[in-house]
Amino acid sequence: MRSIQTIASLGLCAAAAGIVVTMVSGCSSGSGTADPTSSPVSPTASTPSPTSTPVPSTSTTQASNEPRESRTPSTAPTPQALSTAQQQLAKLSLEQRVGQLFMVAAKATGAEPGTMEALSKYHAGNVYLSGRSKAGAEATAAVVASLTGKVSAETTGGLPLFVATDQEGGYVQVLAGPGFSTIPAALVQTGAGPAKLRADATVWGKELRSAGVNVNLAPVLDAVTSPEFAPSNAPIGQFQRQYGYSPGQVSELGNAFAQGMRDAGVAPVVKHFPGLGRVVPNTDVSRNVRDTKTTRNDPALEPFRTAITNGVQWVMVSNAYYDQIDPANIAPFSPVVMGQMLREDAGFKGIILSDDVCSAAQLEPWPAPDRAINFFGAGGTMLVCADPGSIPSMYEAVLQKAQSDPAFRHKVDAAALTVLSVKSGK
């Protein structure tokens, strides 16, 4: 994420009142991924596969003031036969469905106009707090309330936002000040052991929840190969973001952190699949970053497989190339990484999240619209954009292609259904 580029340049749900939006009746709660408006969802909750047939789409050419009933297909299944998410999807216009697929940056100290425009004009359904804030939980809750205040029937179809941030600890902690603990780096967290780490992460998660944040872009599950290599591993080891040097240790401790977040009602995002523990440059600030060793069935994938088995519903893919997997495509453009490895091999049914594809140096060879088309075309679910100024061109490109290409439209509908399934817990 962009927080690491910031570090490099230096030399190295919704508890807020504004976030509460009543969901369609029938939403469930349990003990898994966080629902933005209720207690976390059970890890066994069924999330439709993005390859499943979505609800028949509504017209994209009708006026915005047309009665909602006329935009619902007459051949749609009865409400009793549809999940909550399918019912919600059927009520959204294509424009709103596309918006659900974007997570736009908002400065943690206060959102800029570009972010607010992405929420209001481009129907963005998700935001993440970026940069650094030392203002504390109360001030953060006010920022979150300003963002969630953009939710309306016209913007998101009344559906609440996922509000995320990077709260790993150590060099990567966006939110600080009164109400937020000072979280140690992952390598330091390991000294607590899995049980204590889970308990600590629960406390840290509750702090996020109290400020209106319901998704944490953590933990890092990348296995750095050795202590000797760590200083050369620019994105992870150099900043002690790893939970150890063996897949087993990373799996045990990284997933303890993830479970603690879930205990607090915050959805953890495990990253950066299929791993950045073997690369040297950082994709945020360098181009053509390649992993030449990781394979499709690599032992280093164990932490991610365990997280998915445990019910985690968010996986972030890295921006690197993987020469032994798909040398022609960076991971967020790779149907092998996202479609075959995550969906088929690992059986993952949740949200496949990109790393930042708007400002990272690794993405510079592609125009912004192509980045979005490539990501969703390859099977991605939600695109992270650190530069709100890139949202208009990306959004319009995805919308236009969905309008003209039925196969791509199917992918958009399926991705939107996956997002809504995680939001609603069904």
Side-chain angles (χ1 to χ4, degrees), residues 51-82:
T51 59
S52 61
T53 302
V55 175
S57 58
T58 57
S59 170
T60 62
T61 59
Q62 293 162 311
S64 59
N65 61 354
E66 184 175 353
R68 185 175 298 276
E69 289 76 14
S70 67
R71 296 190 284 117
T72 303
S74 60
T75 58
T78 61
Q80 292 80 6
L82 299 177

Side-chain angles (χ1 to χ4, degrees), residues 35 38 51 66 80 100 115 124 152 217 223 237 242 262 273-274 287 311 336 341 354 356 372 391 394 397 400 412:
D35 180 323
S38 67
T51 59
E66 184 175 353
Q80 292 80 6
Q100 287 294 320
T115 300
S152 69
L217 303 174
Q242 71 276 23
R262 295 172 69 193
F273 188 87
R287 291 171 56 171
V336 178
M341 293 179 68
S354 77
D356 170 40
I391 291 290
M394 287 184 161
Q400 290 173 18
V412 166

Side-chain angles (χ1 to χ4, degrees), residues 81 94 189 195 215 303 305 330 347 373 411:
L94 177 58
Q189 293 174 29
V215 178
R305 294 193 187 106
I330 57 174
I373 295 297
K411 292 181 178 181

Side-chain angles (χ1 to χ4, degrees), residues 14 25 78 105 146 178 191 206 221 245 278 324 333 339 347 374 384 401 415:
S25 62
T78 61
S146 73
K206 288 179 178 178
L221 295 186
Y245 300 101
R278 289 171 171 152
Q324 301 300 316
F333 298 168
N374 291 348
V384 172
K401 188 167 179 63

Side-chain angles (χ1 to χ4, degrees), residues 45-399:
S46 174
T47 303
S49 168
T51 59
S52 61
T53 302
V55 175
S57 58
T58 57
S59 170
T60 62
T61 59
Q62 293 162 311
S64 59
N65 61 354
E66 184 175 353
R68 185 175 298 276
E69 289 76 14
S70 67
R71 296 190 284 117
T72 303
S74 60
T75 58
T78 61
Q80 292 80 6
L82 299 177
S83 69
T84 299
Q86 288 171 323
Q87 293 179 54
Q88 292 169 344
L89 184 71
K91 296 176 182 179
L92 298 183
S93 66
L94 177 58
E95 290 81 0
Q96 291 170 327
R97 296 179 188 200
V98 171
Q100 287 294 320
L101 309 187
F102 287 87
M103 177 177 278
V104 61
K107 287 188 175 180
T109 51
E112 294 180 310
T115 300
M116 305 308 277
E117 181 183 53
L119 294 171
S120 58
K121 183 176 180 180
Y122 298 103
H123 309 284
N126 316 279
V127 296
Y128 78 97
L129 304 181
S130 64
R132 294 291 185 272
S133 171
K134 297 181 179 179
E138 185 175 348
T140 300
V143 173
V144 171
S146 73
L147 299 168
T148 59
K150 290 296 182 181
V151 168
S152 69
E154 292 72 27
T155 57
T156 67
L159 298 176
L161 305 179
F162 275 130
V163 181
T165 197
D166 271 305
Q167 202 81 337
E168 297 176 19
Y171 295 102
V172 185
Q173 180 173 341
V174 172
L175 304 176
F180 294 116
S181 301
T182 299
I183 305 173
L187 196 60
V188 179
Q189 293 174 29
T190 62
K196 179 63 162 58
L197 177 53
R198 177 174 176 173
D200 289 344
T202 301
V203 173
W204 304 330
K206 288 179 178 178
E207 293 170 352
L208 292 175
R209 189 79 177 196
S210 72
V213 176
N214 49 40
V215 178
N216 189 5
L217 303 174
V220 167
L221 295 186
D222 308 329
V224 178
T225 55
S226 70
E228 293 73 26
F229 176 64
S232 300
N233 178 227
I236 309 299
Q238 192 175 107
F239 301 110
Q240 299 186 340
R241 300 171 74 195
Q242 71 276 23
Y243 281 94
Y245 300 101
S246 71
Q249 183 181 17
V250 172
S251 183
E252 179 182 38
L253 293 163
N255 280 297
F257 180 101
Q259 188 58 58
M261 284 290 149
R262 295 172 69 193
D263 293 343
V266 173
V269 179
V270 297
K271 60 187 185 183
H272 310 78
F273 188 87
L276 288 173
R278 289 171 171 152
V279 303
V280 174
N282 183 350
T283 58
D284 281 349
V285 295
S286 300
R287 291 171 56 171
N288 198 33
V289 178
R290 310 188 81 96
D291 176 322
T292 62
K293 297 181 179 179
T294 301
T295 64
R296 181 166 169 176
N297 297 303
D298 203 284
L301 299 177
E302 177 190 344
F304 296 101
R305 294 193 187 106
T306 300
I308 292 168
T309 299
N310 288 348
V312 164
Q313 295 196 31
W314 296 71
V315 175
M316 178 186 287
V317 295
S318 89
N319 280 334
Y321 285 97
Y322 292 85
D323 289 351
Q324 301 300 316
I325 297 171
D326 185 356
N329 296 295
I330 57 174
F333 298 168
S334 172
V336 178
V337 170
M338 296 191 291
Q340 296 180 31
M341 293 179 68
L342 275 174
R343 296 302 189 198
E344 297 176 15
D345 297 352
F348 180 60
K349 298 182 184 300
I351 293 172
I352 298 178
L353 187 71
S354 77
D355 202 339
D356 170 40
V357 299
C358 288
S359 301
Q362 180 86 332
L363 279 294
E364 287 177 357
W366 295 273
D370 291 350
R371 301 175 196 182
I373 295 297
N374 291 348
F375 175 66
F376 295 118
T381 310
M382 188 185 294
L383 183 151
V384 172
C385 185
D387 174 23
S390 296
I391 291 290
S393 65
M394 287 184 161
Y395 173 90
E396 292 295 345
V398 173
L399 179 62

